[in-house]
Amino acid sequence: MLAKRIIPCLDVDRGRVVKGKKFEGIKDVDDPVRLAKRYSDEGADELVFYDITASSDERDIFIDTVREISHNITIPFTVGGGVKSVEDFRKLLLAGADKISVNSQAVRRPELIREAAEIFGSQCVVISIDAKRNDRNSWDVYVKGGRENTGLDAIDWAVMAQQLGAGEVCINSIDEDGVKGGFDLKLIKRLSEVLSIPIIASGGAGKMEHFLDVFNAGADAGLAASIFHYNEIPITGLKEYLFENDIPVRR
Amino acid sequence: MIGIIDYKAGNLLNVSHAVNRLGYEAVITDDTDLLSKAEALILPGVGAFGSCVENFRNSGLQPFVDKWINDGKYILGICVGMQMLFERSFEMGEYKGLGYFKGDVVRFEEPLKVPHMGWNTLNINRPDPLLDGVENGNYVYFVHSYHALADKNDVIAYTDYGTDVTAIIGRENIYATQFHPEKSSKTGELILKNYLTIATGGEK
């Protein structure tokens, strides 16, 4: 039976993992390769790395990091951050990434999804969506780190991305991000009703129960950052807990 | 030395890293002179079946691989590299495969989520030295939208995704996995290690 996945997310700034970009004052956390190996050993199912410094000259540092990670870990990993062309895809895939996540640049130019899927296959194209509740009982798509409302409906955009060839959706709830009050379950339920590709839920994890809830709501994977970095929720313990609650997990 | 067949089908570095981690030298190449010096071959594959099989044929590698297999030397197909060993695929059209295993490669049917992506269990169909130390129910990493309908006698292990999905096949000197051993943590490492031991007699 296909297991539900637990995915730690690592924000990388000039070769170092830092505490999430939405927190005040970025704080240095760890070396990405060391942290990646720790997660791989503890039973994380996949890893996600975001390059949070978008400038092009620092991109090469990130590519070196990606290369080093691929030498050292034996589980799949996704990379993202400022990816805007098929050429960016190629560079990151050749450095060893398994999947590439696109966000703002795909909103700006949706064809990027189709181009990448046609050349590299849908399996490596992840559409990452920052969604925020609106007063019309739905969610808007935000870009630029949650600062700009695009006016696009998040559910419609996810469906369109799937049609264009995205192989997976990573949905980040801006409302819940950093609050640790649980994932946006309504958003996950709604998406799982309309999508036929896997869904990674992100934003809001604070307790083990939150993962149980989000898997029961239809998510295929649960993603979180600081609760794993600081070992507030140990991955091994989380998997035991989920297993005891009848969620199929790899242990 | 382990030869990783390069026919421009996606990133092969991760396979090479995995071979290196087990203490073997690996060469990624389409040069048949170099490949012929290898103790064992790996045929990877990422992307669409049609373009993979077309690139493979255009690269002129097929006569070499045919001879390699007929000489009784070992080859391991991975993912689309496994699918290519079958007779036919229906991925975006209809394509002829290399035909080493009987059967067709077909798309998963709705309402299953496609791609089948993530960790799934190995359900062992028959014992094989490739599975030395591997237990029924161990998890490995899959990512694919099409799967091979194989002859049951060829199947070493299935996985369960709506139906019995071919996870490992093997016959004499030909092995193949639908999942990615290079991405499947300790279980993947073990299967790859077993393959290399079988294929090389443990010579590094």
Side-chain angles (χ1 to χ4, degrees):
Chain A
M1 195 169 178
L2 187 63
K4 299 287 187 180
R5 289 172 278 155
I6 301 295
I7 308 179
C9 170
L10 296 80
D11 285 336
V12 179
D13 179 17
R14 282 169 294 232
R16 294 285 294 176
V17 175
V18 295
K19 199 169 163 179
K21 58 193 164 188
K22 281 163 198 143
F23 292 86
E24 295 280 319
I26 286 172
K27 193 181 159 215
D28 197 51
V29 176
D30 211 334
D31 169 61
V33 178
R34 194 168 61 210
L35 196 53
K37 279 180 84 166
R38 189 191 105 193
Y39 285 139
S40 178
D41 292 342
E42 286 174 1
D45 297 303
E46 279 181 46
L47 299 171
V48 173
F49 298 85
Y50 286 120
D51 182 7
I52 65 166
T53 43
S55 98
S56 56
D57 49 325
E58 277 154 4
R59 174 52 53 90
D60 293 337
I61 303 176
F62 185 64
I63 286 180
D64 285 342
T65 305
V66 171
R67 203 169 283 130
E68 220 197 318
I69 291 159
S70 82
H71 266 286
N72 286 288
I73 69 165
T74 55
I75 56 173
F77 68 100
T78 301
V79 301
V83 172
K84 58 180 181 302
S85 65
V86 160
E87 199 41 44
D88 290 341
F89 266 81
R90 193 186 311 276
K91 277 186 193 159
L92 291 165
L93 290 170
L94 284 177
D98 298 285
K99 300 185 244 182
I100 310 297
S101 122
V102 290
N103 191 328
S104 306
Q105 300 295 332
V107 172
R108 231 171 72 181
R109 203 173 66 80
E111 281 302 303
L112 174 60
I113 297 172
R114 189 201 302 279
E115 290 164 10
E118 276 174 4
I119 298 175
F120 308 109
S122 289
Q123 85 290 337
C124 72
V125 184
V126 182
I127 178 71
S128 174
I129 302 174
D130 293 329
K132 193 175 187 332
R133 270 187 287 256
N134 58 30
D135 51 15
R136 300 183 306 282
N137 202 23
S138 190
W139 295 263
D140 290 328
V141 176
Y142 280 67
V143 290
K144 297 192 178 157
R147 291 191 302 275
E148 190 183 309
N149 188 350
T150 62
L152 272 173
D153 182 84
I155 308 298
D156 292 347
W157 172 228
V159 170
M160 185 181 166
Q162 173 181 301
Q163 283 163 354
L164 285 165
E168 192 165 53
V169 168
C170 180
I171 185 90
N172 323 297
S173 164
I174 295 176
D175 306 289
E176 304 302 336
D177 192 58
V179 182
K180 298 191 180 176
F183 295 93
D184 187 337
L185 300 178
K186 251 177 95 181
L187 174 59
I188 299 304
K189 271 195 191 119
R190 186 82 193 88
L191 276 177
S192 63
E193 283 160 12
V194 296
L195 293 178
S196 60
I197 54 178
I199 300 165
I200 303 173
S202 160
K207 293 194 286 192
M208 292 196 187
E209 295 93 297
H210 297 153
F211 286 91
L212 178 61
D213 294 342
V214 83
F215 290 139
N216 284 328
D220 298 278
L223 179 145
S226 61
I227 55 159
F228 294 137
H229 297 342
Y230 296 113
N231 224 7
E232 288 165 32
I233 296 183
I235 290 170
T236 326
L238 174 58
K239 289 203 160 177
E240 284 300 324
Y241 167 81
L242 291 168
F243 178 77
E244 282 162 16
N245 284 278
D246 300 324
I247 301 290
V249 285
R250 178 179 70 105
R251 296 186 306 154
Chain B
M1 183 262 282
I2 307 305
I4 299 170
I5 304 174
D6 182 13
Y7 56 102
K8 310 295 171 242
N11 175 34
L12 313 180
L13 267 184
N14 288 321
V15 177
S16 160
H17 292 331
V19 170
N20 292 155
R21 279 193 293 267
L22 291 166
Y24 292 84
E25 198 191 324
V27 176
I28 303 172
T29 183
D30 59 354
D31 179 347
T32 52
D33 286 342
L34 210 51
L35 288 172
S36 65
K37 295 193 182 78
E39 270 86 45
L41 294 184
I42 296 178
L43 178 67
V46 173
F49 186 100
S51 65
C52 278
V53 89
E54 192 177 312
N55 283 348
F56 181 77
R57 291 215 171 90
N58 290 345
S59 66
L61 285 160
Q62 193 172 354
F64 170 77
V65 169
D66 284 341
K67 184 172 183 305
W68 179 275
I69 290 174
N70 288 332
D71 288 349
K73 296 196 233 175
Y74 280 89
I75 188 164
L76 171 74
I78 297 176
C79 198
V80 181
M82 175 191 101
Q83 297 181 358
M84 279 170 42
L85 299 174
F86 282 82
E87 293 171 310
R88 204 161 48 148
S89 168
F90 290 95
E91 181 170 359
M92 294 188 267
E94 184 183 328
Y95 296 92
K96 201 169 172 288
L98 307 182
Y100 284 102
F101 290 99
K102 277 196 175 22
D104 288 342
V105 178
V106 299
R107 192 171 167 87
F108 284 110
E109 281 171 31
E110 305 276 336
L112 288 171
K113 287 194 182 189
V114 182
H116 170 220
M117 185 190 285
W119 297 82
N120 209 335
T121 46
L122 288 176
N123 305 325
I124 297 169
N125 183 46
R126 63 174 164 88
D128 190 281
L130 191 72
L131 295 180
D132 216 8
V134 176
E135 287 170 32
N136 210 30
N138 281 168
Y139 279 95
V140 288
Y141 187 81
F142 292 86
V143 50
H144 59 127
S145 302
Y146 290 75
H147 66 106
L149 303 171
D151 184 328
K152 197 163 195 274
N153 296 319
D154 289 333
V155 178
I156 296 172
Y158 289 106
T159 193
D160 177 14
Y161 194 58
T163 175
D164 273 343
V165 174
T166 307
I168 309 177
I169 49 164
R171 196 182 60 237
E172 294 162 2
N173 52 327
I174 315 174
Y175 280 113
T177 66
Q178 176 62 68
F179 58 88
H180 288 270
E182 77 280 13
K183 286 286 162 183
S184 296
S185 194
K186 292 187 176 68
T187 303
E189 205 163 68
L190 192 53
I191 290 169
L192 198 55
K193 182 174 167 237
N194 289 341
Y195 168 69
L196 296 174
T197 307
I198 295 165
T200 66
E203 297 247 335
K204 290 189 182 176

